[in-house]
Amino acid sequence: MTIGLILVFIIIIGALLATLLLSGKGDEEYSKATKRNTTNLSLIYIVVILLSFLAVGVYIKWFV
């Protein structure tokens, strides 16, 4: 169980870093709206992380 949680955290951190590194690259229109796009992606990550924690909690409560 501990190894699974560690892997989840590594994947989340890696995905977040990759998104932030790539957020300024791409077409011209994307770079003009980088702040808005980064904000939107950050909000998506926050929601996904919270839902992931909820799912892990439900799994631990009912299946372990």
Side-chain angles (χ1 to χ4, degrees), residues 18-60:
T19 301
L20 292 175
L21 289 173
L22 295 173
S23 65
K25 298 177 182 167
D27 63 359
E28 229 175 85
E29 295 298 319
Y30 188 85
S31 62
K32 288 180 182 176
T34 301
K35 183 177 180 183
R36 188 189 76 230
N37 290 333
T38 305
T39 302
N40 290 341
L41 286 171
S42 298
L43 290 174
I44 290 169
Y45 275 119
I46 290 169
V47 169
V48 168
I49 289 169
L50 291 176
L51 290 175
S52 298
F53 284 138
L54 179 66
V56 169
V58 167
Y59 174 77
I60 291 171

